[in-house]
Every structure is written in structure tokens, then in C-alpha cells.
Amino acid sequence: MSDYQSFTREDHDGVAVVRFDHPPINLVDRTMVIDLLHLAKSLEGDVQTKVVIFRSDNPEFFLAHYDLGSQLDAAPMALPPGVASPLSGLFSRFSRLPQVTIGELRGRARGAGSEFLLALDMRFAAEETAVLGQPEIGVGLLPGAGGTVRLTQMLGRARALEVCLGGDDFDARLAERYGWINRALPGEQLGSFCDALARRIAGFPAGGIANVKAVVERVSSADDDALVDESQRFVADMQAPETVERVRWMLAQGGQTHGVMERELGTLLGRYPHPLNE
């Protein structure tokens, strides 16, 4: 029986495969966050595992996004000054894992789903079906779990602004051109490619892998102060009246369910019935 409720883990020859399975859309909710916290702790002390592949059993969703609905009637988060949000801190833990981490994307990864992928070492996507997006601006937010910071590092200023302010969906081919993912591959080849790469890396000496990761991390790690600033802004804006109104509208249209609103979220958030859109 799996130790986790929202995914499974299988290990073989130094490679761990984590498969998200949290119906209906692999939402990043409390259950998922608790599971990811336990996984991070397990991997941080794991000297046997060299590579971790993250994939999804849901062909339409890798990780949908953060559970915005859970925040509407909850007490405002008390985030102390100078501290990043728990979700941002969790994703930063994944970015610093001793293992090589690989994201295999076949469906949608928006919001926190995209931000989780950004925290991994490598990302590969199915060119026919993968979708990436940071749609937070549609409800008046910024990507608050590392997305604004890491996208700017990876894509550059102009493209990060396009992604975060446009709030639209990006297919795998464009994401590859922008540097959001390593490669876009035919879907039928994606799994075997990621498996072969993981096995190849796992066959090399652990010391060499650790040294490569350590130096690359030193050069490319996300700025801690920027991550804190991003989190502080996200948490403060989450309670803004217009944000709350827009999130309620999104949920009323079928957001966070396996419906059209969620499948076409990047496009449909731009149709909020604001006077400017009428």
C-alpha cells in the first residue's frame, strides 16, 4: 500500500518514479502538499536514489494548479515578514534535492503545477498535448510559489512578463523555444526518453552527480529575497476583494472540476465579465 494519498512511488536501480493520481484534476491541495512534504523529507535523506521522475496517471493533468477555492472562506494566512510561503518553501526544497529530478509532462501544468515543474532540474513534454501556463493574473495574483522568479531566470525579463501578465496557455513547442522546458518530444517517445535518461544518469558515480548539481545550483539558484517578496505579495493580494470575486466566478464556471473551464483555463479567465470586456 502506498505511503501517499495523491501519488505513488516506485523504485528500481537508483531511479524513483512518482506518479500523480489525485482525482479529478491533480489539484495542489492540502492532501497533495502534505504528501509532497513527506516525499521531500524522504528524498533529502535518501542516499540510494539518484534520479526521480515525476509523471501523471491523468493524461489531461500533470498538476492542475493551487487550490484557490480552499482560501476563500479561510482565515487570512499570517505570513511573517521576511518569510516565503509554505508552498514556495516546499518547492524550493525540491529544487535543492540531492537527486536529479525530471518532470514528464503530457497534460496541463498551470499555476502551482507549472511552478513545481520549474523547481525540478529538467522538464520534458509531449509536443501534441502538453500545456503550460501561469494564469494567476486572471484573478489578480502573481505566480506566488516561485513562478515569477524562476521564469525570469529561465526565460528572461520580456518572456517572463509575457507569461505572467498574459496569463495564457503555452504549448510544448513554444515552451521549448522559450526555455520553459528542455525538449518537446512526440508523446509516444516521451516516457521511454525520460526512462532512458534517468537510467543513464543513475548509472554514473554518485559523487560526480552531486558535484555537478552543487555547482549548477550555486550558479542558478533562485534568489531567496525575491522568493520572499513574491510570497508576501501573493498572500497579501489573496484577500483583495476583486481577487476573491474573480475566484468565486471561476469556481462558479466549473473551475477546479474536470470541465471546460479548467481545461481551457488560460483562455477563459480572460473572459471575466468586467465592464472592459463587455
Side-chain angles (χ1 to χ4, degrees):
M1 184 174 180
S2 174
D3 294 331
Y4 308 102
Q5 298 183 57
S6 57
F7 52 78
T8 59
R9 173 181 172 176
E10 295 182 3
D11 292 80
H12 186 68
D13 295 334
V15 177
V17 177
V18 175
R19 306 183 69 99
F20 293 115
D21 184 13
H22 191 40
I25 58 172
N26 288 345
L27 198 65
V28 183
D29 60 7
R30 177 178 173 81
T31 299
M32 175 74 73
V33 169
I34 290 172
D35 280 349
L36 288 173
L37 280 166
H38 291 159
L39 178 64
K41 183 177 180 180
S42 173
L43 289 170
E44 285 165 347
D46 186 342
V47 297
Q48 302 300 320
T49 303
K50 294 181 179 179
V51 185
V52 185
I53 301 174
F54 293 90
R55 50 175 55 126
S56 175
D57 282 340
N58 186 329
E60 292 195 84
F61 292 93
F62 177 79
L63 293 176
H65 53 76
Y66 181 61
D67 180 11
L68 290 173
S70 68
Q71 302 300 303
L72 288 178
D73 299 313
M77 181 185 294
L79 190 60
V83 176
S85 71
L87 190 63
S88 180
L90 172 61
F91 289 173
S92 289
R93 286 177 69 177
F94 276 91
S95 76
R96 296 190 294 264
L97 286 175
Q99 295 82 15
V100 177
T101 52
I102 298 172
E104 179 185 304
L105 178 64
R106 293 183 180 277
R108 296 162 178 82
R110 300 187 181 103
S114 164
E115 289 172 303
F116 178 80
L117 279 171
L118 287 167
L120 303 182
D121 294 325
M122 307 177 205
R123 291 155 294 284
F124 301 93
E127 60 185 14
E128 307 94 339
T129 57
V131 174
L132 286 154
Q134 298 287 167
E136 291 91 342
I137 193 66
V139 295
L141 298 169
L142 82 167
T148 321
V149 176
R150 292 191 173 95
L151 280 170
T152 303
Q153 285 186 313
M154 294 180 187
L155 276 60
R157 173 187 169 88
R159 285 174 170 169
L161 287 170
E162 178 189 351
V163 170
C164 297
L165 293 178
D168 212 342
D169 290 338
F170 286 72
D171 63 30
R173 293 183 184 90
L174 185 55
E176 180 189 57
R177 283 176 52 198
Y178 275 27
W180 202 334
I181 61 173
N182 291 63
R183 301 191 200 185
L185 297 162
E188 63 183 12
Q189 300 175 18
L190 180 61
S192 59
F193 175 89
C194 291
D195 287 338
L197 177 61
R199 288 194 300 268
R200 178 177 173 84
I201 293 171
F204 297 139
I209 296 171
N211 285 332
V212 169
K213 281 210 62 174
V215 175
V216 171
E217 172 68 11
R218 181 175 180 180
V219 173
S220 65
S221 61
D223 182 85
D224 288 339
D225 290 338
L227 290 171
V228 168
D229 184 30
E230 178 189 73
S231 288
Q232 294 282 335
R233 292 173 186 270
F234 181 91
V235 170
D237 285 347
M238 188 64 227
Q239 302 303 318
E242 187 172 8
T243 291
V244 172
E245 179 183 317
R246 285 173 177 258
V247 172
R248 291 194 188 281
W249 174 84
M250 180 195 78
L251 296 176
Q253 307 308 306
Q256 302 196 171
T257 69
H258 201 284
V260 174
M261 181 67 183
E262 194 61 50
R263 292 198 302 271
E264 305 298 331
L265 190 63
T267 299
L268 296 182
L269 277 180
R271 299 179 184 174
Y272 175 76
H274 188 278
L276 291 177
N277 295 335
E278 294 177 352

